Amino acid sequence: MGPAPTGEQLRGASGGPEVIPSLEGTGKKGKKASSRKRVVTGSQAENLLQPVKLSRAELYKDPTNEELNRLRETEILFHSSLLRLQVEELLKEVRLSEKKKDRIDAFLLEVNHRIKRVPSTSESELTDQAWLPAGIQVPFHQVPYTVKGSFHFLPPAQVTVVGSYLLGTCIRPDINVDMALIMPREILQDKDLLNQRYFRKRALYLAHLAHHLARDPLFGSVRFSYINGCHMKPSLLLRPHGKDEHLVTVRLHPCPPSDFFRPCRLLPTKNNVRSSWYRGQNPQEDGKLEPPTPHYNTWILQDTALGSHVQLLSNVLGSALGLKDGVALLKVWLRQRELDKGLGGFSGFLVSMLVAFLVSTRKIHTTMSGYQVLRSVLQFLATTDLTVNGISLCLSSDPSLPALADFQQAFPVVFLDPSGRLNLCADVTASTYHQVQHEARLSMALLDSKTDDGFQLLLMTPKPMIRAFDHVLHLRPLSRLQAACHRLKLWPELQDNGGDYVSAALGPLTTLLEQGLGSRLQLLAHSRPPVPEWDISQDPPKHKDSGTLTLGLLLQPEGLNSVLELGPEADQPEAADFRQFWGSRSELRRFQDGAIREAVVWEAASLSQKRLIPHKVVTHLLALHADIPDNCVHYVGGFLDALIQGLKETSSTGEEALAVAVRCYDDLSRMLWGLEGLPLTVSAVQGAHPVLRYTEVFPPSPVQPACSFYEQLREQASLLPRLDKPCPAYVEPMTMVCHLEGSGQWPQEAEAIRRVRAAFQLRLAELLTQQHGLQCRATATHTDVLKDGFVFRIRVAYQREPQILREVRSPQGMISLRDTPASLCLERETRHLPLLTSALHGLHQQHAAFSGVARLAKRWVRAQLLGEGFTDESLDLVAAALFLHPEPFTPPSSPQVGFLRFLSLVSTFDWKNNPLIVNLNNELTVEEQVEIRSSFLAARTRLPVMVIITPQDCKNSVWTQDGPSAQILQQLVILAAKALPVLEKQLMDPWGPGDIRCSDHPWTYMMC
């Protein structure tokens, strides 16, 4: 399974069933086909992948020593040859070529020369910045502005390349090279640790460099940016001029000498930002200590340890190509999940240090392959919670080193470097690490399943937040978080983070929401987009302009429908805390067991309203505890619900109406089971209508005919509409299949069976009227029954009738079995359709969001005027695949995220070379699925363009035999590929997506 390009035309082959030709392109004319990969070029199999056919000599040729060694390595280091080939091809794509490395090295050499030629400046006070040329701004928020100390510029004492480029682990497409500029000791002073003096000198150093390098014709772009989103540590970005502008970005990082600052002053328990300076308050009185500044101290330590970290990674990775490959694969894994972005992201540097830690603990060996390194790291992340038990690279037993408990008290995630003083995960929040753990568990489950498309799902499938989480909320404007910091009394955190109120409030807010959402929440994640780089003549972006804070909620289906938050009993001490947490929403209630408890009850009458209870929880808690009003919380969870609401429904998406119809069907089924007087007993009653599998877009409403609108025809027991009254409402019949027990009295001819079935239809109507008083109308093929305002169409079925329709008698009197249109149609309607309806009904019982996802999918397809090409059953099965095979995601818990994944699946699935296997009830084993894929390639030209396989239909894809055509499928793929990014952009817009039904883009338009 893999993504297929969407821009090339799918067309049918002439003279046979329509097939999808290869989307990979054809070779040059006249080029001899390879014996290892042959493509049939007939009219019916043009460019389709076919099983490899080898000659007898090729098949039994002895393997060479090189082939044997490679097979042995594959068996030991990989779990399949296919996976090895995929990994090798991916690494080729993301690695830098030697030619580009040479060009980058030449550019780095020139950068080094330019930096060392930058002239010095005379000494001046830090607050006297008149020496800066006009048009150059200091890339630092100097608040408060007054600070002690002096500064003058001197060329760096040393310029070294650090980071992934030096180690050979950087990956494309964005190549960044980090250069550390060791500032001379003459610039710095011992007390530069205090009150942001070091960071301001660092910013002035970059400003002076920027002024001189911007005038050099070597550089096409000279701009400022933040390192991993940290506003205290700007960097200078240099890009080449001319055609190499996009070749590389060089990031300059001024650093102090590694031994300049005393480490004991930078422990997580120390304070280096005085309250009297930062807040303008008097010195601490009454013996109160200054609050520690662990993050501030860590950012200084990071600069001092750049060289030692590079040396450590160089020693560990060295010539171990497998370790480097593993680091590159892990970076791809992080990038696809957007885990390495912004402040607090799980960066590639952290992954590299984690590999070094696992090597030191002998959980990874230097001889391992990149795939084994990937598995080992994911296994460690999935089973190790660094928010509870930290880890350390430090082997020293020096008693002067801080204890691990000191770091755990100051930081949510702890991973110490070899010095034992620097927490590498200081900026990583608990929510981010739990998200990394969650993704690692999903990835390990995917790798352990050993599916053929595991590589594609693990490393090639992007997981943006809007598609990975059930609900998403945006906090805007960010300036409201400043008031939240005041309400939550986060002055120490603001002092530690240099006034960054977003970082200061993030941890307390996520903890607050996790506590409030409780059993409804499986995972809460946050996303802060990277602050864009800015021109050297501009002021640095303010905190309120650094994008939008977005939170993603992965919901727990089991607790999603609960409307009650049950608190402690009224006389327990915890009751006061419960009331304080929930405020006015908390109230005393008496329960059936006689207990009187504190409780919170949320008003929700329908399933769609229950799905949005998290919205009420979030807005209530943020307003109560953080002074963030409702209009500052943009909650994206039910914007698509209006598309599946009926004209008279405003609070429900139809699940309740569907449930009413299903209950009525269950009552009628019990009546059929209990009928007395039938010649044969009923052996099974099965539904065969979209309503009965919860996938009808607009469920039928019960209709009771008004007598004043009709004339009664007594002799026919019918009602005739009056000509002077409005047209009566149309009630769509819901098909049911009633199977009768087998008997030797059944005739063996098709026409005789039809007549016997017609007699059963008449008898069925008679008995239902006599025994249950139901209005019935019988025909030769079915019986319509009016019950509780619904019309059910009962079809009597005989299990051997399809087989009898297959019998073909030759002129010689011989009987052979052959599929006929009549037999296939009857088997589909009386066997396949009831089984499918039953299986999807069960799927809805397991996943309540299935109904909404399937109905949204059908609504969209029909709004694109493509509904005629796709059967209801085929679209229902595509929606079911999202729940049965959700990898690399979890099953959707909301219709919104399910619909986005539907668009993604339709637009990226390789319909030409793969069948969509929907393993209903998990009946197909892994071996059977492999066999299905193999037989699919052999029979591809005889199959429809869209092949959907189920356990009851492993070969023929009965639900797509009559459509879609190649052109219709291609149109659907193109429309889904266009609609997905547009819809995701609308839903991720913090100021609201507007009316989804009236989008300006035709491929997202949904009819009102």
Coordinates of all heavy atoms in Angstrom, one line a residue, residues 778-830:
A778 N -48.4 -7.0 0.0 CA -47.5 -8.0 -0.5 C -47.5 -8.0 -2.0 O -48.5 -7.7 -2.7 CB -48.1 -9.4 0.0
T779 N -46.3 -8.3 -2.5 CA -46.1 -8.4 -4.0 C -45.4 -9.7 -4.2 O -45.1 -10.5 -3.3 CB -45.3 -7.3 -4.6 OG1 -43.9 -7.4 -4.1 CG2 -45.9 -5.9 -4.2
A780 N -45.1 -10.0 -5.5 CA -44.4 -11.3 -5.8 C -43.0 -11.4 -5.3 O -42.5 -12.4 -5.1 CB -44.5 -11.6 -7.3
T781 N -42.4 -10.2 -5.1 CA -41.0 -10.2 -4.7 C -40.7 -9.7 -3.3 O -39.6 -9.9 -2.8 CB -40.2 -9.3 -5.7 OG1 -40.8 -7.9 -5.7 CG2 -40.2 -9.8 -7.1
H782 N -41.7 -9.0 -2.7 CA -41.4 -8.5 -1.4 C -42.7 -8.2 -0.7 O -43.8 -8.2 -1.3 CB -40.6 -7.2 -1.4 CG -41.2 -6.1 -2.2 ND1 -40.9 -5.9 -3.6 CD2 -42.1 -5.1 -1.9 CE1 -41.6 -4.9 -4.0 NE2 -42.3 -4.4 -3.0
T783 N -42.7 -7.9 0.6 CA -43.8 -7.5 1.4 C -43.5 -6.2 2.1 O -42.5 -6.1 2.9 CB -44.2 -8.5 2.4 OG1 -44.5 -9.8 1.8 CG2 -45.4 -8.1 3.3
D784 N -44.2 -5.1 1.9 CA -44.0 -3.8 2.6 C -44.9 -3.8 3.8 O -46.1 -4.1 3.8 CB -44.4 -2.7 1.7 CG -43.4 -2.4 0.6 OD1 -42.2 -2.9 0.7 OD2 -43.7 -1.8 -0.4
V785 N -44.2 -3.4 5.0 CA -44.9 -3.4 6.3 C -44.7 -2.0 6.8 O -43.6 -1.5 6.9 CB -44.3 -4.5 7.2 CG1 -45.0 -4.4 8.6 CG2 -44.4 -5.9 6.6
L786 N -45.9 -1.4 7.3 CA -45.9 -0.1 7.9 C -45.9 -0.4 9.4 O -46.8 -0.9 10.0 CB -47.1 0.7 7.5 CG -47.2 2.1 8.2 CD1 -46.0 3.0 7.8 CD2 -48.5 2.7 7.8
K787 N -44.8 0.1 10.1 CA -44.7 -0.1 11.6 C -44.1 1.1 12.2 O -43.0 1.6 11.8 CB -43.8 -1.3 11.9 CG -43.8 -1.6 13.4 CD -42.9 -2.8 13.7 CE -43.0 -3.2 15.2 NZ -42.6 -2.1 16.1
D788 N -44.9 1.7 13.1 CA -44.5 2.9 13.8 C -44.0 4.0 12.9 O -43.1 4.8 13.2 CB -43.3 2.6 14.8 CG -43.7 1.5 15.8 OD1 -44.9 1.4 16.1 OD2 -42.8 0.8 16.3
G789 N -44.7 4.2 11.7 CA -44.3 5.2 10.8 C -43.2 4.9 9.9 O -42.9 5.7 9.0
F790 N -42.6 3.7 10.0 CA -41.5 3.3 9.1 C -42.1 2.2 8.2 O -43.0 1.5 8.5 CB -40.3 2.7 9.9 CG -39.6 3.7 10.7 CD1 -39.8 3.7 12.1 CD2 -38.8 4.7 10.2 CE1 -39.1 4.6 12.9 CE2 -38.1 5.6 11.0 CZ -38.3 5.6 12.3
V791 N -41.5 2.2 7.0 CA -41.9 1.1 6.0 C -40.7 0.2 5.9 O -39.6 0.6 5.5 CB -42.2 1.7 4.6 CG1 -42.5 0.6 3.6 CG2 -43.5 2.6 4.8
F792 N -41.0 -1.1 6.1 CA -39.9 -2.1 6.0 C -40.3 -3.0 4.8 O -41.5 -3.5 4.7 CB -39.8 -3.0 7.3 CG -39.3 -2.2 8.4 CD1 -40.1 -1.5 9.3 CD2 -37.9 -2.1 8.6 CE1 -39.6 -0.8 10.4 CE2 -37.4 -1.3 9.7 CZ -38.3 -0.7 10.6
R793 N -39.3 -3.3 4.0 CA -39.6 -4.2 2.8 C -38.9 -5.5 3.1 O -37.7 -5.7 3.1 CB -39.0 -3.5 1.6 CG -39.1 -4.4 0.3 CD -39.0 -3.5 -0.9 NE -40.1 -2.6 -1.1 CZ -40.2 -1.6 -2.0 NH1 -39.2 -1.5 -2.9 NH2 -41.3 -0.8 -2.1
I794 N -39.8 -6.5 3.3 CA -39.3 -7.9 3.7 C -39.2 -8.7 2.4 O -40.2 -8.8 1.7 CB -40.2 -8.5 4.7 CG1 -40.4 -7.6 5.9 CG2 -39.7 -9.9 5.1 CD1 -41.4 -8.1 6.9
R795 N -38.0 -9.3 2.2 CA -37.8 -10.2 1.1 C -37.5 -11.6 1.6 O -36.6 -11.8 2.4 CB -36.6 -9.7 0.2 CG -36.8 -8.3 -0.4 CD -35.8 -8.1 -1.4 NE -35.8 -9.1 -2.5 CZ -34.9 -9.1 -3.5 NH1 -34.0 -8.2 -3.6 NH2 -34.9 -10.1 -4.4
V796 N -38.3 -12.5 1.2 CA -38.1 -13.9 1.5 C -37.0 -14.5 0.7 O -36.9 -14.3 -0.5 CB -39.4 -14.8 1.4 CG1 -39.1 -16.2 1.6 CG2 -40.4 -14.2 2.3
A797 N -36.0 -15.2 1.3 CA -34.9 -15.7 0.6 C -34.7 -17.2 0.9 O -35.0 -17.7 2.0 CB -33.6 -15.0 1.0
Y798 N -34.3 -17.9 -0.2 CA -34.0 -19.4 -0.1 C -32.5 -19.5 -0.4 O -32.0 -19.1 -1.4 CB -34.9 -20.1 -1.1 CG -34.5 -21.6 -1.2 CD1 -34.3 -22.4 -0.1 CD2 -34.4 -22.2 -2.4 CE1 -34.0 -23.7 -0.2 CE2 -34.1 -23.6 -2.6 CZ -33.9 -24.3 -1.4 OH -33.6 -25.7 -1.5
Q799 N -31.8 -20.2 0.5 CA -30.3 -20.2 0.5 C -29.8 -20.9 -0.8 O -28.7 -20.5 -1.2 CB -29.8 -20.8 1.7 CG -30.2 -22.3 1.9 CD -29.7 -22.9 3.2 OE1 -29.0 -22.2 4.0 NE2 -29.9 -24.1 3.4
R800 N -30.5 -21.8 -1.4 CA -30.0 -22.5 -2.5 C -30.3 -21.9 -3.8 O -29.9 -22.4 -4.9 CB -30.4 -24.0 -2.5 CG -29.8 -24.9 -1.4 CD -30.0 -26.3 -1.7 NE -29.2 -26.8 -2.8 CZ -29.7 -27.1 -4.0 NH1 -31.0 -27.1 -4.3 NH2 -28.9 -27.5 -5.0
E801 N -31.1 -20.8 -3.8 CA -31.6 -20.2 -5.1 C -30.5 -19.7 -5.9 O -30.4 -19.9 -7.1 CB -32.6 -19.1 -4.8 CG -33.3 -18.6 -6.1 CD -34.4 -17.6 -5.8 OE1 -34.6 -17.3 -4.6 OE2 -35.0 -17.1 -6.7
P802 N -29.4 -19.0 -5.3 CA -28.3 -18.5 -6.2 C -27.6 -19.7 -6.9 O -27.2 -19.6 -8.1 CB -27.4 -17.8 -5.2 CG -28.3 -17.4 -4.1 CD -29.3 -18.5 -4.0
Q803 N -27.5 -20.8 -6.2 CA -26.8 -21.9 -6.8 C -27.6 -22.5 -8.0 O -27.1 -22.9 -9.0 CB -26.5 -23.0 -5.8 CG -25.8 -24.2 -6.3 CD -25.5 -25.3 -5.3 OE1 -25.7 -25.0 -4.1 NE2 -24.9 -26.4 -5.7
I804 N -28.9 -22.6 -7.8 CA -29.8 -23.1 -8.9 C -29.7 -22.1 -10.1 O -29.8 -22.6 -11.2 CB -31.2 -23.2 -8.3 CG1 -31.3 -24.3 -7.3 CG2 -32.2 -23.5 -9.4 CD1 -32.6 -24.5 -6.6
L805 N -29.6 -20.8 -9.8 CA -29.6 -19.9 -11.0 C -28.2 -20.0 -11.7 O -28.1 -19.6 -12.9 CB -29.7 -18.5 -10.4 CG -31.1 -18.1 -9.9 CD1 -31.1 -16.7 -9.4 CD2 -32.1 -18.1 -11.1
R806 N -27.2 -20.6 -11.1 CA -25.9 -20.8 -11.8 C -26.0 -22.0 -12.7 O -25.1 -22.2 -13.5 CB -24.8 -21.0 -10.7 CG -24.5 -19.8 -10.0 CD -23.2 -20.0 -9.2 NE -22.9 -18.8 -8.3 CZ -23.2 -18.8 -7.0 NH1 -23.8 -19.9 -6.5 NH2 -22.9 -17.8 -6.3
E807 N -26.9 -22.9 -12.5 CA -26.9 -24.1 -13.3 C -27.3 -23.8 -14.7 O -28.3 -23.2 -15.0 CB -28.0 -25.1 -12.7 CG -27.6 -25.6 -11.3 CD -28.6 -26.5 -10.7 OE1 -29.7 -26.7 -11.4 OE2 -28.4 -27.1 -9.6
V808 N -26.4 -24.3 -15.6 CA -26.6 -24.1 -17.1 C -26.6 -25.5 -17.7 O -25.6 -26.3 -17.5 CB -25.5 -23.3 -17.7 CG1 -25.7 -23.1 -19.2 CG2 -25.5 -21.9 -17.0
R809 N -27.6 -25.8 -18.4 CA -27.8 -27.2 -19.1 C -27.3 -27.1 -20.5 O -27.8 -26.2 -21.3 CB -29.2 -27.6 -19.0 CG -29.5 -29.1 -19.4 CD -30.9 -29.4 -19.3 NE -31.4 -29.4 -17.9 CZ -31.3 -30.4 -17.0 NH1 -30.7 -31.5 -17.4 NH2 -31.7 -30.3 -15.8
S810 N -26.4 -28.0 -20.9 CA -25.9 -28.0 -22.2 C -26.9 -28.8 -23.1 O -27.8 -29.5 -22.6 CB -24.6 -28.7 -22.3 OG -24.7 -30.1 -21.9
P811 N -26.7 -28.7 -24.5 CA -27.6 -29.5 -25.4 C -27.6 -30.9 -25.1 O -28.5 -31.7 -25.4 CB -27.1 -29.1 -26.8 CG -26.4 -27.8 -26.6 CD -25.8 -27.8 -25.2
Q812 N -26.5 -31.5 -24.6 CA -26.4 -32.9 -24.3 C -27.0 -33.3 -23.0 O -26.9 -34.4 -22.6 CB -24.9 -33.3 -24.3 CG -24.2 -33.2 -25.7 CD -23.9 -31.8 -26.1 OE1 -23.7 -31.0 -25.2 NE2 -23.7 -31.6 -27.4
G813 N -27.5 -32.3 -22.2 CA -28.2 -32.5 -21.0 C -27.2 -32.4 -19.8 O -27.7 -32.7 -18.6
M814 N -26.0 -32.1 -20.0 CA -25.0 -31.9 -18.9 C -25.3 -30.6 -18.2 O -25.5 -29.6 -18.8 CB -23.6 -32.0 -19.4 CG -23.2 -33.3 -20.1 SD -23.2 -34.7 -19.0 CE -21.8 -34.2 -18.0
I815 N -25.2 -30.6 -16.8 CA -25.4 -29.4 -16.0 C -24.0 -28.9 -15.5 O -23.3 -29.7 -14.9 CB -26.3 -29.7 -14.8 CG1 -27.7 -30.1 -15.4 CG2 -26.4 -28.5 -13.9 CD1 -28.7 -30.5 -14.2
S816 N -23.8 -27.7 -15.8 CA -22.5 -27.0 -15.3 C -22.9 -25.8 -14.5 O -24.0 -25.2 -14.7 CB -21.6 -26.7 -16.4 OG -22.2 -25.8 -17.3
L817 N -22.0 -25.4 -13.6 CA -22.3 -24.2 -12.8 C -21.5 -23.0 -13.3 O -20.3 -23.1 -13.6 CB -21.8 -24.4 -11.3 CG -22.6 -25.5 -10.6 CD1 -22.1 -25.7 -9.1 CD2 -24.1 -25.2 -10.5
R818 N -22.2 -21.9 -13.6 CA -21.5 -20.7 -14.1 C -22.3 -19.5 -13.6 O -23.5 -19.5 -13.5 CB -21.6 -20.7 -15.6 CG -20.9 -19.6 -16.4 CD -21.1 -19.7 -17.9 NE -20.7 -21.0 -18.4 CZ -21.1 -21.5 -19.6 NH1 -21.9 -20.7 -20.3 NH2 -20.7 -22.7 -19.9
D819 N -21.5 -18.5 -13.2 CA -22.1 -17.3 -12.7 C -22.9 -16.6 -13.8 O -22.4 -16.4 -14.9 CB -21.0 -16.3 -12.1 CG -20.4 -16.8 -10.8 OD1 -21.2 -17.5 -10.1 OD2 -19.3 -16.5 -10.5
T820 N -24.1 -16.2 -13.4 CA -24.9 -15.4 -14.3 C -25.2 -14.1 -13.7 O -25.2 -13.9 -12.4 CB -26.2 -16.2 -14.6 OG1 -26.9 -16.3 -13.4 CG2 -25.9 -17.5 -15.2
P821 N -25.6 -13.1 -14.5 CA -26.0 -11.8 -13.8 C -27.1 -12.0 -12.8 O -27.1 -11.3 -11.7 CB -26.5 -11.0 -15.0 CG -25.7 -11.5 -16.2 CD -25.6 -13.0 -15.9
A822 N -28.1 -12.9 -13.1 CA -29.2 -13.0 -12.1 C -28.7 -13.7 -10.8 O -29.0 -13.2 -9.7 CB -30.2 -13.9 -12.7
S823 N -27.8 -14.7 -10.9 CA -27.3 -15.3 -9.7 C -26.4 -14.4 -8.9 O -26.4 -14.4 -7.6 CB -26.5 -16.6 -10.1 OG -25.3 -16.2 -10.8
L824 N -25.5 -13.6 -9.6 CA -24.7 -12.7 -8.9 C -25.5 -11.6 -8.2 O -25.2 -11.2 -7.0 CB -23.7 -12.0 -9.8 CG -22.6 -13.0 -10.4 CD1 -21.8 -12.2 -11.5 CD2 -21.7 -13.5 -9.3
C825 N -26.5 -11.1 -8.8 CA -27.4 -10.0 -8.2 C -28.1 -10.6 -7.0 O -28.1 -9.9 -6.0 CB -28.3 -9.5 -9.3 SG -29.4 -8.2 -8.6
L826 N -28.6 -11.8 -7.1 CA -29.4 -12.4 -6.0 C -28.4 -12.7 -4.8 O -28.8 -12.4 -3.7 CB -30.1 -13.7 -6.5 CG -31.0 -14.3 -5.4 CD1 -32.1 -13.4 -5.0 CD2 -31.5 -15.7 -6.0
E827 N -27.3 -13.2 -5.1 CA -26.3 -13.5 -4.0 C -25.9 -12.2 -3.3 O -25.7 -12.2 -2.1 CB -25.1 -14.3 -4.6 CG -24.1 -14.7 -3.5 CD -23.0 -15.5 -4.1 OE1 -22.7 -15.4 -5.3 OE2 -22.4 -16.3 -3.3
R828 N -25.7 -11.2 -4.1 CA -25.3 -9.9 -3.5 C -26.4 -9.4 -2.6 O -26.1 -8.9 -1.5 CB -24.9 -8.9 -4.6 CG -24.5 -7.5 -4.1 CD -23.9 -6.7 -5.1 NE -24.8 -6.3 -6.2 CZ -24.7 -6.7 -7.4 NH1 -23.7 -7.5 -7.8 NH2 -25.6 -6.4 -8.3
E829 N -27.6 -9.5 -3.0 CA -28.7 -8.9 -2.3 C -29.1 -9.7 -1.1 O -29.6 -9.2 -0.1 CB -29.9 -8.6 -3.2 CG -29.6 -7.6 -4.2 CD -30.8 -7.4 -5.2 OE1 -31.8 -8.2 -5.0 OE2 -30.8 -6.5 -6.0
T830 N -29.0 -11.0 -1.2 CA -29.5 -11.9 -0.1 C -28.4 -12.5 0.8 O -28.7 -13.0 1.9 CB -30.3 -13.1 -0.7 OG1 -29.5 -13.9 -1.6 CG2 -31.5 -12.5 -1.5

